[in-house]
Amino acid sequence: MLAIAMAMAAALTTACKPPPPSRHDPDAAAVARGRELVRQTGCGACHAFPDIAWPQGRAGPSLVTFDEHGPIAGVLPNTPANLAAFVRDAPVAKPGSPMPAMPLSPREASDVAAYLHGLADD
Amino acid sequence: MIDAADAFDVWWGWPPPVLDPAGPYAHSVTVLAWALFALGVIVTAIVALAVFVAVAGPPRWKARLGGEKAILILGVGFPAVVLTGLLVWGLTLTASLTDPITGREPRIRVTAHMWWWDVEYLDAAGRVVRRDANELHLPVGRPVVLELGSADVIHSFWVPNLSGKEDMIPGRTNLLKVQADRPGRFGGICAEYCGGPHALMGYVTVAHLPADYDRWLAGGNVSSGPANPQHVPGAMPASARRTPAGQGTADPKAAPQDGEALFVAHGCAACHRVAGTQANGLAGPDLTHVGSRLTLGAGILPNNRGTLQGWITDAQALKPGNRMPAYGNIPAADIAAIALWLEAQE
């Protein structure tokens, strides 16, 4: 009996793949790492963020209301994967983007995406 | 509201590392500071004890405390000995901070401007061998003489890990000896209010092993440590390659991706110098080695493609009141090409 239950539990946990990361419920640890990366990389040189007092650059769009943004840079579906690809290498993700490639590893870029999706200005 | 903690956090943390000396000229001062602090604690304890005895002590102790002997010992002898000792210690220490310059030390001329630092490395004959800005490179383990001056108002040179503050006064050269005893990066900041964005006037001091320092001075590229590398993924686009001197075209329409031509055409060269090109302006920081610097905007932003574009586009948003105007009128593609070209100027 116990063996059957354990087998079933094992089957259940392996059968269900974890859901793809969602923009609506980013991982809190990733959000915190992403915020630190945003500060260290100097994203504020072009963008304003609601919880970063300085710098608040004006070269790029303000991200204070990012939680209300639609498609990334107006064209890409606003998914964590797309956002991570865009913040790391915007000219490849969206040809013609004036935003340059940024010094982030793919893992760091997904942390930054989690931070951005976790932003709420209200 | 700009918080200095935000501006310098990447390099320093906040407050400044005044209790973390990295060289002899900072170490002796730190020891004295701790000694003063300890003495202060001891004296305060003695006074508190005396007050307690005077108010609530047994009558025999009260009488002793009020006696002539106690007043002579505690009131005259103790302060005279302690203060004389501290005076001698303090004066000899101050003298050792300015101990004679032999003339064999490497010399670096640092000239403060509102609100950035011009840095010139001099050879034995006093000729400039390398010109840079907002960054100070030192060899580890030997004293270096800084010739400190100012181009406009009074500023003050301060690297908390290495030395005390030294004023930078227009029309005057103040000499300061500094020495780093371990390789590393040490933040510096202007320590005398000099108007507007004074709080955003910083720099990074990089202490190299002697061999690395010689290589760096000769124009070589030396890694300045693993902290916070600003590495951009992917290969550099061809437009970022440096055009050999004299081969750049001055017409931006002929070669829209030529960062050097755009740099000249948009007027950047009126204020900035890039050795080996037409750009020969002296009003702003020398950009000959800007691509190898750790920071932008005088020590306040990490140096990467993004911050470079953001700085060129609207430096006033990042460092309000600084003398570089916002260039929102230049097309974003041109700014991107200029930033790529500058990034290659190492």
Side-chain angles (χ1 to χ4, degrees):
Chain A
M1 190 65 192
L2 188 65
I4 295 170
M6 279 177 71
M8 278 177 68
L12 274 173
T13 47
T14 49
C16 299
K17 277 195 294 183
S22 155
R23 57 174 288 205
H24 297 295
D25 192 17
D27 174 43
V31 169
R33 287 196 303 271
R35 181 173 187 277
E36 197 48 37
L37 283 163
V38 164
R39 275 166 45 82
Q40 283 180 1
T41 314
C43 304
C46 294
H47 302 283
F49 299 88
D51 54 351
I52 295 178
W54 179 92
Q56 295 202 340
R58 293 190 289 243
S62 166
L63 302 178
V64 169
T65 57
F66 189 77
D67 55 343
E68 292 159 17
H69 279 211
I72 300 161
V75 292
L76 301 168
N78 199 343
T79 64
N82 279 349
L83 187 56
F86 184 82
V87 298
R88 178 160 187 267
D89 202 344
V92 167
K94 180 200 172 188
S97 169
M99 172 161 154
M102 293 300 291
L104 298 167
S105 70
R107 175 181 285 269
E108 289 171 334
S110 44
D111 287 345
V112 170
Y115 162 71
L116 288 170
H117 278 144
L119 285 181
D121 66 321
D122 43 24
Chain B
M1 173 69 190
I2 294 170
D3 184 353
D6 287 314
F8 292 100
D9 199 37
V10 174
W11 308 108
W12 270 16
W14 193 262
V18 284
L19 297 178
D20 178 27
Y25 300 103
H27 185 258
S28 53
V29 177
T30 311
V31 171
L32 179 65
W34 279 120
L36 289 175
F37 179 71
L39 263 171
V41 169
I42 292 170
V43 170
T44 307
I46 292 174
V47 170
L49 193 68
V51 169
F52 177 77
V53 168
V55 174
R60 198 162 58 85
W61 285 34
K62 277 187 185 174
R64 262 199 192 174
L65 193 63
E68 199 171 303
K69 204 168 149 197
I71 288 172
L72 280 178
I73 293 174
L74 286 177
V76 180
F78 180 69
V81 169
V82 168
L83 292 179
T84 308
L86 283 179
L87 185 70
V88 171
W89 188 4
L91 287 179
T92 48
L93 190 148
T94 310
S96 78
L97 294 181
T98 53
D99 61 6
I101 288 160
T102 63
R104 288 189 299 275
E105 301 92 344
R107 281 189 174 241
I108 304 170
R109 187 187 297 141
V110 182
T111 309
H113 293 250
M114 293 157 93
W115 292 268
W116 58 279
W117 316 80
D118 187 31
V119 182
E120 294 163 299
Y121 299 82
L122 310 177
D123 65 9
R127 287 176 302 235
V128 177
V129 289
R130 182 165 172 145
R131 187 147 185 241
D132 205 352
N134 301 328
E135 204 161 282
L136 185 62
H137 292 253
L138 305 170
V140 158
R142 63 185 295 197
V144 172
V145 172
L146 304 177
E147 298 184 0
L148 303 176
S150 168
D152 35 51
V153 299
I154 300 180
H155 302 267
S156 181
F157 180 94
W158 188 36
V159 184
N161 296 98
L162 298 183
S163 78
K165 300 163 183 168
E166 182 74 36
D167 274 359
M168 308 172 84
I169 299 166
R172 207 192 132 81
T173 300
N174 281 344
L175 299 182
L176 177 70
K177 243 181 171 183
V178 295
Q179 178 173 332
D181 282 341
R182 56 177 149 99
R185 299 171 182 183
F186 309 107
I189 190 173
C190 179
E192 178 73 38
Y193 180 69
C194 55
H198 154 72
L200 295 175
M201 179 173 169
Y203 52 100
V204 181
T205 302
V206 186
H208 300 282
L209 294 172
D212 285 346
Y213 177 76
D214 292 340
R215 210 145 29 97
W216 178 88
L217 196 58
N221 228 337
V222 175
S223 159
S224 51
N228 197 29
Q230 296 291 330
H231 176 71
V232 173
M236 292 275 276
S239 56
R241 297 278 165 255
R242 184 173 189 170
T243 341
Q247 291 183 17
T249 158
D251 178 7
K253 289 192 186 70
Q257 284 306 304
D258 185 341
E260 179 180 342
L262 291 169
F263 187 84
V264 174
H266 284 303
C268 312
C271 291
H272 294 287
R273 175 175 171 268
V274 179
T277 73
Q278 289 182 46
N280 215 7
L282 295 174
D286 190 304
L287 299 181
T288 306
H289 304 292
V290 70
S292 68
R293 281 184 213 148
L294 296 166
T295 68
L296 285 181
I300 58 172
L301 291 167
N303 184 8
N304 58 49
R305 261 181 227 180
T307 54
L308 192 49
Q309 272 183 234
W311 176 267
I312 299 169
T313 308
D314 197 344
Q316 291 300 321
L318 307 173
K319 185 165 170 171
N322 91 83
R323 287 183 173 161
M324 174 152 164
Y327 284 103
N329 57 322
I330 301 182
D334 287 10
I335 289 184
I338 291 171
L340 280 176
W341 178 69
L342 287 175
E343 187 181 274
Q345 307 306 311
E346 297 188 328

